[in-house]
Amino acid sequence: MFDSKRRVVVVVGAQWGDEGKGKLVDVLAERADWVVRYQGGANAGHTVHIGDVSFVLHQIPSGILHPGVRCAIGNGVVLDPETLFTEIDELVRDGVDVEGRLYVSDRAHLVLPCHKLVDAESSANKAIGTTGRGIGPAYEDKVGRRGIRVLDLRHPEKLRALVERGAEHADAQLARFGSTKRVDVPATLETLDRLRPRLLALAEDVGRCVHRAREAGASVLLEGAQGSLLDVDHGTYPFVTSSSTTSGGASTGAGIAPTAIDAVLGVVKAYTTRVGAGPLPTEFDEELGERVRRLGNEYGATTGRPRRCGWFDGVVVRYAVRINGLSGLAVTKLDVLDTLDRVAICTGYAVDGEVHDEFPGDLDALDRATPRYEWFEGWRQSTADARRIEDLPAPARRYLDRIESLVNAPIDFVSVGTRRDQIIGLA
Ligand code: IMP
């Protein structure tokens, strides 16, 4: 993945999240010097299996599991300091050395209890099916210019006024929702006071660090959270998260120039999933949905919610290839399809009698869309031990070849199981 021409690589999800980026980043991080998370917050959940131990990381890049790799949380992330330290403490308890190699952008905005309260009490957020981690309200405060950044903790004398200003806004929202709950300002100040020394010890100008590392020849992996179809601009708005999940967000969210990015790897499942409400054109019927959910253990790493499942959607992934400028794809969880008699790929949508092969921005059109499928015979044998493309059964290779030609991007990696070594393409 990394060579003299490709030193800064972005990894993005090219569907609705949960594509298996954590595992890919974990494996690629072995060859990286830096791994930087550039957006989202504790709404993400990466499960990484090492031997018999599973790590679920919400905010810390999975590169942390490799000794010597430096990890950073970029300015584009909304950081929940309480859960950050819970995560750090759990890693340390499991024997991971975090000391001196985890940095937090001093420009990152904080997720405070008021954000989680507003997220939980808002019926609009419930209708979207948010993760309840306060992500939307924290980004709203950031864009509304009333957020609190990590660097504000350097000025304790100003904190009370900042917290009170945020609380005033949150309380007005809560009152509008008809909620009787209100923000506890003294408790918030107490929490910030308690966390301040620990958080400031990690605070850095991450953009500058990454820039310098790159100039010195380091390899840098920029890790996205969620997926392209949850991007606030390019996703299925309003059923999206509140950040720029696509590769454009990697530049602003890590604090480096777009021209510093050399390649973008898109991660896709061999089928499609989404959590929460919103369109999923290729969604399975209940029976197949339940079967694939069980085979793929499709339950949210953050909320435990069952994920909705469907066939691979070529319209979605082709769109993701275009908006992210994907230079290659990693197809994950191919093994989940091993027992199916036949598999399908969606090649276009029929809307009002016309076939579309571009993903529409208008959800009304998507509501009326009927997927058009190409069917493939299933391979009905285990792919779990395949380590080279040639090891895969011919029908599985035909399936992957069609994905490549349909979405206009080469497949660089295929993962066939949860373990680190179950990846084709790492040679
Ligand atoms: P929020 O990010 O909590 O505001 O949730 C907004 C939408 O994004 C909801 O549909 C969530 O289910 C979805 N979402 C947020 N984070 C993830 C993730 O890591 N994987 C999949 N979906 C997510």
Side-chain angles (χ1 to χ4, degrees), residues 16-18 43-45 128-132 135-136 226 230 240-241 275-276 305:
W16 277 278
D18 309 314
N43 49 351
I128 301 283
T130 68
T131 60
I135 304 300
Q226 290 85 44
L230 288 172
V240 292
T241 191
V275 222
R305 287 182 290 178

Side-chain angles (χ1 to χ4, degrees), residues 154-165:
R154 294 189 184 126
H155 310 288
E157 73 288 354
K158 294 185 187 159
L159 267 183
R160 173 173 290 277
L162 291 176
V163 170
E164 279 174 352
R165 189 177 55 175

Side-chain angles (χ1 to χ4, degrees), residues 118-395:
V118 168
D119 204 356
E121 296 291 294
S122 149
S123 53
N125 287 352
K126 277 197 195 91
I128 301 283
T130 68
T131 60
R133 298 296 189 271
I135 304 300
Y139 277 115
E140 278 181 49
D141 276 359
K142 171 179 175 172
V143 177
R145 293 173 292 216
R146 54 179 175 269
I148 300 183
R149 299 191 287 175
V150 171
L151 59 79
D152 290 318
L153 299 182
R154 294 189 184 126
H155 310 288
E157 73 288 354
K158 294 185 187 159
L159 267 183
R160 173 173 290 277
L162 291 176
V163 170
E164 279 174 352
R165 189 177 55 175
E168 200 181 305
H169 183 81
D171 282 347
Q173 278 183 300
L174 290 165
R176 263 202 316 280
F177 300 157
S179 166
T180 52
K181 296 191 177 151
R182 293 295 176 266
V183 178
D184 188 339
V185 172
T188 305
L189 284 167
E190 223 169 87
T191 305
L192 288 179
D193 204 41
R194 175 167 50 81
L195 299 176
R196 180 163 24 144
R198 246 187 130 181
L199 198 50
L200 285 181
L202 304 176
E204 259 297 348
D205 183 339
V206 165
R208 191 180 57 189
C209 290
V210 175
H211 176 76
R212 286 185 177 165
R214 179 178 173 272
E215 298 245 295
S219 41
V220 180
L221 217 155
L222 303 175
E223 176 183 2
Q226 290 85 44
S228 303
L229 276 291
L230 288 172
D231 185 283
V232 68
D233 284 275
H234 305 293
T236 44
Y237 191 89
F239 299 97
V240 292
T241 191
S242 302
S243 62
S244 300
T245 61
T246 44
S247 59
S251 162
T252 50
I256 59 161
T259 46
I261 295 170
D262 302 309
V264 187
L265 177 70
V267 187
V268 293
K269 269 181 199 163
Y271 46 101
T272 312
T273 65
R274 103 170 272 173
V275 222
L280 178 58
T282 61
E283 189 160 12
F284 293 137
D285 62 26
E286 218 164 286
E287 192 188 333
L288 191 53
E290 186 49 44
R291 182 169 168 202
V292 172
R293 186 175 308 122
R294 204 164 17 81
L295 287 168
N297 191 24
E298 294 294 354
Y299 295 90
T302 299
T303 58
R305 287 182 290 178
R307 295 180 185 139
R308 298 156 62 196
C309 304
W311 293 122
F312 185 91
D313 191 333
V315 182
V316 161
V317 177
R318 189 170 44 231
Y319 173 62
V321 168
R322 174 165 65 80
I323 58 176
N324 288 291
L326 297 184
S327 26
L329 286 181
V331 178
T332 64
K333 298 186 113 171
L334 183 71
D335 55 301
V336 171
L337 304 180
D338 283 354
T339 56
L340 301 190
D341 289 333
R342 55 181 205 152
V343 288
I345 294 176
C346 168
T347 56
Y349 303 145
V351 183
D352 304 331
E354 248 184 74
V355 177
H356 294 251
D357 58 8
E358 283 290 338
F359 195 78
D362 184 348
L363 290 200
D364 281 349
L366 212 48
D367 273 347
R368 298 197 308 280
T370 314
R372 314 236 324 172
Y373 290 115
E374 255 174 49
W375 289 93
F376 296 77
E377 86 181 271
W379 39 100
R380 284 166 289 182
Q381 68 185 83
S382 172
T383 53
D385 294 328
R387 294 295 173 273
R388 299 167 311 155
I389 277 289
E390 306 84 70
D391 298 337
L392 288 174

Side-chain angles (χ1 to χ4, degrees), residues 6 19 33 54 62 65 85 94 191 213 215 249 275 280 296 314 325 334 351:
R6 290 206 290 197
E19 297 91 348
D33 300 301
S54 305
S62 35
L65 302 173
F85 292 121
D94 288 335
T191 305
E215 298 245 295
V275 222
L280 178 58
L334 183 71
V351 183

